[in-house]
Amino acid sequence: MKIAVAGSGYVGLVSGACFADFGHDVVCVDKDQSKIDRLHDGVMPIYEPGLDALVETNVKAGRLTFTTDLAEGIRGAAAIFIAVGTPSRRGDGHADLTYVHAVAREVGEALAHDCVVVTKSTVPVGTGDEVERIIADTGCAHRVSVVSNPEFLREGAAIGDFKRPDRIVIGAEDDFGRETMRQVYRPLHLNQSPILFTNRRTSELIKYAANAFLATKITFINEMADLCEKVGADVQDVSRGIGMDGRIGPKFLHAGPGYGGSCFPKDTLALLKTAEDAGAPSRIVEAVVKVNDTRKRAMGRKVLDALGGPEAARGKTAALLGLTFKPNTDDMRDSPAIAVAQALGDAGVEVKAYDPEGMELAAPLMPAVTMCKSAYDAIEGADAVVIVTEWDAFRALDLARVKDLANAPVLVDLRNVYRPDEVRAAGFEYSSIGRAGPKEAS
Ligand code: UDX
């Protein structure tokens, strides 16, 4: 089966490479000539574990090709996926559909056969209707079924998520669309991955509802963590205790510095807009967005406290370990590290930092921060070491060496990577999230 994917960013490239790996014949299209040139040279535009090898294998096997020519790329394709970006529109938080609409128009103008057009980009409810109308307006005479098929890929685990999904959601309005999508996902269905067929608008909403629910779950446990610190409880045990209830489930209950990334912040805002416009505002998601924003700034204050308070902190140095919004990605979008670095800088604290993959993208976002060659390089001379992102490399720091290099043995662990008793036994002043130890309970 021939598949075309318009947009070779994160979602498009991962989806295209995985479809090719299933044996489909895939063309990935992107307007950016330099991106396509680099892909031809085997250079990935994003950091995603395993993606380069997957692309290389499938290019070699002749199942995966790249082009900037959309008309050429979609020729004969049974399914054309739209996987372009839908960033937050400046000013109002609505998803910006400029790129989606542009691809729909180009597809309509170039189509010379019947096919299914699939929106994989995260798009507001009703976008499928607009895509359908745009294609019809081009005068396209062929049968086109517009289908919604949202992605649920986590950065850093995207290939596994694509190949072993909890579910595949397909929103289609006719049998042609449903049948074609069944063929697209046949290899996965054979692996027992469940496919949920819904109408198109429902499928579009499922994506936003899933991300908003996950963001709510995280924000809920983050608030519980604050409460734990006040009342002398341990949030990790609270997570375990509630997560063992099958109705709640154990995942996404890890308290931390607040969610970031390319999806949750953008999609919660877009859902709020949709809900407001539809006259069914979501008070819960509204609160989640506010609480999460406030939390990121509060993390800066937590570090200042560890440095002895805002007065004492002035002129001191903090070492941030991890800058990306989560490990195994170079993505800095809405990373809590940005708010932490900002708060510390504003308070007159000098900030050094190290991240295994994110420093290149982080540097322009935090110009006052000194980027270091290694974790220990950042720690040298620091008055507080702050774990912001839980990269594996920070899970087993040599605490004796940290103590030797640092100016003061102060560790702020915003991801609860360490055990309080062990770190305190090693002579550190330790603060973490929602685990009231001798210091935090006071
Ligand atoms: C998310 C969704 O998981 C994915 O299904 C969707 O398609 C895109 O958005 P991603 O943004 O890659 O994926 O990251 P995810 O692993 O979900 O983490 C999002 C944020 O929540 C990160 O900042 C992470 O640190 C935070 N998080 C996650 C927590 O703070 N606690 C948790 O328990 C889980």
Side-chain angles (χ1 to χ4, degrees), residues 213-291:
F213 190 84
L214 292 170
T216 304
K217 212 172 169 189
I218 295 167
T219 306
F220 176 82
I221 203 65
N222 283 343
E223 279 200 332
M224 287 302 117
D226 289 347
L227 182 56
C228 285
E229 287 178 21
K230 297 284 184 210
V231 301
D234 181 321
V235 74
Q236 281 177 280
D237 287 339
V238 171
S239 293
R240 266 181 228 119
I242 63 173
M244 283 174 184
D245 184 327
R247 293 168 300 177
I248 296 173
K251 293 184 182 165
F252 272 68
L253 285 177
H254 194 79
Y259 63 77
S262 62
C263 289
F264 289 170
K266 165 174 87 73
D267 294 349
T268 44
L269 281 184
L271 178 63
L272 283 184
K273 281 289 158 195
T274 301
E276 206 178 291
D277 291 353
S282 170
R283 299 286 174 243
I284 292 176
V285 181
E286 217 172 281
V288 166
V289 170
K290 278 199 192 119
V291 171

Side-chain angles (χ1 to χ4, degrees), residues 258-425:
Y259 63 77
S262 62
C263 289
F264 289 170
K266 165 174 87 73
D267 294 349
T268 44
L269 281 184
L271 178 63
L272 283 184
K273 281 289 158 195
T274 301
E276 206 178 291
D277 291 353
S282 170
R283 299 286 174 243
I284 292 176
V285 181
E286 217 172 281
V288 166
V289 170
K290 278 199 192 119
V291 171
N292 192 63
D293 281 348
T294 312
R295 181 169 193 80
K296 289 185 192 167
R297 283 193 296 275
M299 292 300 114
R301 288 196 292 279
K302 195 174 178 78
V303 179
L304 291 178
D305 285 347
L307 286 166
E311 286 306 313
R314 193 163 287 280
K316 287 188 175 172
T317 302
L320 304 188
L321 303 188
L323 296 172
T324 50
F325 81 99
K326 67 172 196 176
N328 300 323
T329 174
D330 61 354
D331 201 331
M332 282 298 300
R333 281 176 282 182
D334 281 297
S335 173
I338 301 170
V340 172
Q342 180 75 44
L344 293 177
D346 289 350
V349 175
E350 198 182 313
V351 183
K352 295 160 81 186
Y354 171 73
D355 187 283
E357 294 292 337
M359 292 195 291
E360 201 181 318
L361 293 176
L365 301 173
M366 37 183 82
V369 173
T370 308
M371 299 295 168
C372 299
K373 287 195 183 66
S374 71
Y376 294 105
D377 194 16
I379 289 165
E380 194 169 356
D383 297 287
V385 176
V386 188
I387 297 176
V388 187
T389 315
E390 70 278 32
W391 285 90
D392 279 346
F394 308 143
R395 287 177 186 274
L397 291 170
D398 176 345
L399 291 181
R401 191 171 167 204
V402 172
K403 215 170 149 197
D404 272 356
L405 286 172
N407 201 28
V410 176
L411 183 61
V412 184
D413 180 359
L414 302 181
R415 299 286 183 167
N416 290 352
V417 169
Y418 286 92
R419 285 185 45 180
D421 49 349
E422 277 176 10
V423 183
R424 291 194 177 112

Side-chain angles (χ1 to χ4, degrees), residues 18-135:
C18 289
F19 280 139
D21 212 45
F22 293 157
H24 293 312
D25 180 13
V26 179
V27 184
C28 283
V29 186
D30 203 288
K31 280 210 167 332
D32 183 342
Q33 181 72 55
S34 68
K35 189 188 275 184
I36 294 298
D37 289 346
R38 274 178 285 143
L39 280 166
H40 279 136
D41 292 340
V43 181
M44 298 301 109
I46 49 157
Y47 173 81
E48 180 63 31
L51 184 62
D52 42 4
L54 194 72
V55 167
E56 189 187 341
T57 310
N58 286 284
V59 167
K60 275 202 180 128
R63 291 189 297 262
L64 181 61
T65 55
F66 304 103
T67 179
T68 53
D69 186 344
L70 184 79
E72 168 66 31
I74 66 172
R75 187 170 302 147
I80 301 167
F81 283 80
I82 302 180
V84 292
T86 53
S88 274
R89 202 160 66 191
R90 220 174 269 270
D92 66 3
H94 263 301
D96 182 346
L97 296 174
T98 314
Y99 304 115
V100 172
H101 291 168
V103 171
R105 202 166 303 114
E106 267 191 74
V107 166
E109 283 162 1
L111 259 188
H113 63 286
D114 297 349
C115 71
V116 171
V117 171
V118 192
T119 49
K120 203 158 216 9
S121 307
T122 300
V123 291
V125 180
T127 303
D129 303 3
E130 286 173 30
V131 168
E132 196 168 78
R133 184 180 45 73
I134 291 169
I135 294 175

